[in-house]
């Protein structure tokens, strides 16, 4: 990559990086049982915009990252039932891959709390995150579930 290829990170890109980091942090908390304060502190100090094991993490909107992670933890008793309801009848949330679960939780939180962000932006961003981790049906599942939840929590725009 040449210096000409390096674009300054735009706010939207920083939000996208914050979303990805939030999904990774939620996954880490889910798998390792790590607490929210510990994970947020670790990401802010060592990952967001940093190089870790040869991988450079994108500069992320730290407040966006914090709000997603803390909001999912705070509202999980409201978020998880919404996801369960949006899944196919025979699927338990516990059966879903931990990464997909983290993506769905973060996306649901934003659909509920971030009314200033269009539904299409939120759904697209989280589908893209799913595509970064999975090549099979998971991105379609993320799209379908977040779309169903969006229809429940957001009033459709008048045409």
């Amino acid at each position: 990559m040449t210096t000409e290829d390096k674009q300054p990170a735009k706010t939207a890109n920083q939000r996208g990086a914050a979303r990805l980091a939030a999904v990774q942090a939620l996954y880490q908390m889910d798998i390792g049982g790590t607490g929210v304060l510990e994970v947020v502190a670790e990401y802010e100090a060592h990952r967001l915009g940093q190089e870790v094991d040869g991988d450079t993490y994108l500069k992320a909107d730290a407040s966006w990252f914090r709000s997603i992670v803390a909001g999912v933890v705070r509202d999980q008793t409201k978020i998880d039932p919404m996801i369960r309801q949006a899944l196919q009848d025979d699927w338990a949330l516990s059966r879903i891959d931990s990464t997909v679960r983290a993506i769905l939780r973060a996306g649901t939180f934003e659909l509920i709390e971030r009314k200033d962000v269009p539904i299409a932006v939120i759904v697209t961003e989280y589908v893209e995150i799913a595509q970064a981790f999975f090549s099979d049906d998971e991105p379609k599942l993320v799209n379908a579930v977040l779309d169903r939840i969006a229809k429940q929590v957001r009033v459709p725009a008048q045409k």
Side-chain angles (χ1 to χ4, degrees), residues 25-26 28-29 33-46 65-66 69-71 73-74:
L26 291 167
Q28 187 175 329
M29 290 166 56
T34 318
V36 66
L37 297 176
E38 188 182 336
V39 167
V40 168
E42 175 193 332
Y43 272 76
E44 288 183 350
H46 303 294
F65 164 76
R66 271 192 307 276
V69 175
V73 171
R74 180 191 69 224

Side-chain angles (χ1 to χ4, degrees), residues 7-18 58-61:
Q7 302 272 323
K10 297 185 193 101
T11 308
N13 292 351
Q14 289 187 12
R15 282 187 181 174
L58 297 171
K59 177 146 181 51
D61 181 329

Side-chain angles (χ1 to χ4, degrees), residues 70-114:
V72 167
V73 171
R74 180 191 69 224
D75 298 340
Q76 195 164 342
T77 57
K78 179 167 71 172
I79 291 170
D80 283 2
M82 292 180 89
I83 295 170
R84 255 195 267 10
Q85 188 178 6
L87 288 167
Q88 298 303 321
D89 294 337
D90 56 344
W91 278 89
L93 192 55
S94 58
R95 280 185 59 199
I96 293 180
D97 178 89
S98 297
T99 304
V100 175
R101 201 166 43 239
I103 292 168
L104 291 174
R105 284 173 173 158
T108 300
F109 168 76
E110 279 202 63
L111 287 169
I112 295 167
E113 292 290 321
R114 299 307 310 230

Side-chain angles (χ1 to χ4, degrees), residues 27 38 45 91 107 120-121 123-124 156:
Y27 169 84
E38 188 182 336
W91 278 89
V121 170
V123 173
T124 300

